[in-house]
Amino acid sequence: TMKNLFKRIFSQKFKSYWKKVRDEKNFDDDLRFISDQFINSSSYKFVSKQWEILNIHDYNSIKNNGIDNFGSDISTHYFTFMDYTNDHLNNLFKNIEFNLPINLKTNIFKKHKNFDYKTSINYNLLCLLLFENLKKTNLFPLLDKLNDNTYLGFNHPFIEIDNFKISSDKIVSLFDFDKINKFYELKKVKRILEIGAGSGRLSECILSLNSNINYVICDIPPSLYISYKRLKIAFPNKKINLAIDINDDKLEEQIIENDITFIFPHQIDVVKNNFYDLVVAVDCLHEMDKKTHATYFNFINKISEYFYFSIWDKTKNWHSGNLFKKTERLDFDKGDYNIPKNWEKIYRENLKFPSNHLGLGFKILK
């Protein structure tokens, strides 16, 4: 419609939005520092229109509630599924015995804050399905190693099943951990770069199970701010710092000195060749346009020999179009990701959930 076309072309820019709201009382000094640095950095151009729109929504949520409502509001832009289709669920039913009764102690009818009844029951059933699938794997004993203060904090929706507190983020993070570990054994990793860490659910999972990894998170706000706050709660004894204002050799020194370091996208290639053992990007590349993919892939070519990412197998980069350009199709099997010719694909598998996500691992030949 004409209204949607107008909105797509003239949607509000985050930079002008931030200048208007910067002094709101629920924005703390960390968020102000991160946001001020971001809008004046070359990383600002990495933001897709889709995320320009979502980020303004997320900042409004923080403006009204702090990050107390992150789990039931902002998290739905990262990985908390309120709704899903058959395509999302297919792999969750592969190992389910349809005719066997299940005898579980659970509050399956729990209504969650900021969710209506339909959304709540949909979410609860998803948690139940994920839990039943996890029980059939060797990952199940790892469930207790994930911290309830963070996985269930910030009003994150969860239910109880057989005395376990279950959120979708908890179990999906373990499944993601397993895929990455199949591609590159994480106990051998000394240093990881994660691009697009979102809420920090995966980074927390990996560090909860492999505490000695030196971890670098590359993201934009408010994701970077949320994962920074989260990981400081999850790992109070680790040295965790923002390095978003360092653009020279001192960045490498900072990363080595810290346990967890936060950077912006334009800082990725400040470090020397093959500085990272592994780069991961889970559930984020399909939200970027092809020009941004090329920028990231050029960075990754230099800094690591191994790269794992997960994406929708087919999607569109919503709001990527303008008056003269259509919304971009992103279909991995049709070559829309323009994978560099020197990358050798050594791992490919559909995820457990969402089942129409691909997990892909590449060795970068130098």
Side-chain angles (χ1 to χ4, degrees):
T1 66
M2 187 59 70
K3 182 179 178 182
N4 287 339
L5 179 64
F6 184 86
K7 187 175 180 181
R8 196 171 72 191
I9 299 167
F10 300 106
S11 56
Q12 186 176 10
K13 299 296 182 187
F14 175 74
K15 185 181 286 193
S16 59
Y17 164 84
W18 173 244
K19 288 177 179 177
K20 289 176 189 171
V21 301
R22 184 186 182 280
D23 294 323
E24 291 285 339
K25 64 177 176 23
N26 276 337
F27 295 151
D28 65 15
D29 290 342
D30 287 330
L31 185 57
R32 289 193 185 96
F33 172 64
I34 290 166
S35 306
D36 288 344
Q37 290 289 327
F38 176 63
I39 63 169
N40 293 308
S41 76
S42 55
S43 284
Y44 184 68
K45 69 176 183 285
F46 283 71
V47 185
S48 66
K49 280 192 178 181
Q50 177 180 183
W51 273 101
E52 198 125 33
I53 294 164
L54 291 175
N55 281 350
I56 291 171
H57 170 279
D58 296 347
Y59 269 79
N60 278 332
S61 177
I62 298 170
K63 178 167 69 98
N64 295 330
N65 307 296
I67 55 172
D68 291 344
N69 271 355
F70 161 76
S72 56
D73 188 5
I74 298 174
S75 70
T76 59
H77 295 158
Y78 299 121
F79 210 80
T80 301
F81 275 73
M82 299 186 300
D83 202 2
Y84 40 84
T85 67
N86 278 339
D87 288 341
H88 295 108
L89 297 176
N90 284 338
N91 291 340
L92 290 180
F93 280 97
K94 285 192 172 174
N95 295 317
I96 296 292
E97 296 288 342
F98 287 99
N99 297 318
L100 284 181
I102 55 173
N103 184 18
L104 297 171
K105 181 182 174 186
T106 177
N107 56 341
I108 192 75
F109 299 120
K110 180 179 180 182
K111 184 182 182 298
H112 304 286
K113 184 174 180 178
N114 295 333
F115 285 15
D116 60 22
Y117 291 111
K118 178 185 175 184
T119 305
S120 292
I121 196 67
N122 279 345
Y123 178 78
N124 297 347
L125 288 169
L126 175 61
C127 286
L128 183 63
L129 264 172
L130 289 166
F131 180 77
E132 285 295 294
N133 275 268
L134 190 73
K135 280 200 311 189
K136 298 174 187 297
T137 72
N138 59 4
L139 300 168
F140 191 68
L142 303 178
L143 188 58
D144 279 336
K145 295 185 181 295
L146 302 187
N147 189 339
D148 284 348
N149 288 335
T150 39
Y151 278 96
L152 310 180
F154 312 108
N155 277 316
H156 206 99
F158 71 94
I159 61 171
E160 294 189 33
I161 308 174
D162 287 353
N163 298 317
F164 290 96
K165 291 177 178 172
I166 300 301
S167 71
S168 60
D169 272 17
K170 255 191 188 183
I171 299 183
V172 169
S173 296
L174 287 169
F175 285 144
D176 283 336
F177 166 86
D178 186 51
K179 297 290 187 195
I180 296 166
N181 200 44
K182 284 179 181 174
F183 164 63
Y184 194 112
E185 199 172 350
L186 285 162
K187 70 181 181 183
K188 295 179 179 177
V189 171
K190 293 177 182 173
R191 186 174 298 120
I192 284 180
L193 169 68
E194 184 180 358
I195 296 168
S199 68
R201 66 169 182 85
L202 177 61
S203 50
E204 182 179 346
C205 178
I206 290 173
L207 286 167
S208 297
L209 303 174
N210 298 268
S211 62
N212 293 326
I213 293 176
N214 180 280
Y215 213 100
V216 180
I217 286 174
C218 167
D219 216 328
I220 62 171
S223 304
L224 184 139
Y225 167 75
I226 290 163
S227 54
Y228 173 68
K229 291 293 194 184
R230 175 199 187 128
L231 294 179
K232 282 176 81 77
I233 295 168
F235 304 110
N237 298 320
K238 285 189 180 291
K239 188 172 182 183
I240 303 173
N241 280 311
L242 299 167
I244 54 177
D245 56 343
I246 303 172
N247 292 292
D248 55 25
D249 292 344
K250 290 179 181 173
L251 178 62
E252 196 172 302
E253 294 171 22
Q254 267 286 305
I255 290 171
I256 292 167
E257 191 179 312
N258 297 331
D259 297 310
I260 306 172
T261 307
F262 288 82
I263 64 171
F264 285 148
H266 75 273
Q267 297 171 280
I268 289 179
D269 72 338
V270 173
V271 298
K272 66 175 179 280
N273 289 359
N274 295 334
F275 183 68
Y276 301 100
D277 299 308
L278 175 65
V279 177
V280 298
V282 167
D283 191 43
C284 62
L285 292 183
H286 50 245
E287 295 163 350
M288 305 173 189
D289 61 28
K290 295 176 186 178
K291 183 179 177 185
T292 305
H293 291 164
T295 303
Y296 275 115
F297 293 169
N298 284 336
F299 287 163
I300 293 164
N301 249 337
K302 172 193 163 190
I303 60 170
S304 182
E305 291 184 358
Y306 292 92
F307 179 38
Y308 172 92
F309 63 94
S310 66
I311 50 171
W312 296 100
D313 53 6
K314 299 174 188 174
T315 188
K316 290 182 178 179
N317 180 17
W318 301 109
H319 306 289
S320 63
N322 55 39
L323 189 59
F324 307 105
K325 173 182 157 189
K326 293 180 180 177
T327 295
E328 286 184 339
R329 180 196 71 185
L330 289 174
D331 183 331
F332 181 79
D333 287 323
K334 291 186 177 174
D336 292 335
Y337 285 82
N338 295 318
I339 300 297
K341 289 184 169 58
N342 62 308
W343 290 17
E344 179 187 356
K345 186 172 79 225
I346 59 175
Y347 179 83
R348 174 177 173 153
E349 209 171 87
N350 277 84
L351 303 194
K352 184 74 76 171
F353 179 84
S355 303
N356 53 352
H357 264 206
L358 286 174
L360 295 148
F362 289 85
K363 180 172 172 56
I364 298 164
L365 306 175
K366 304 294 182 178

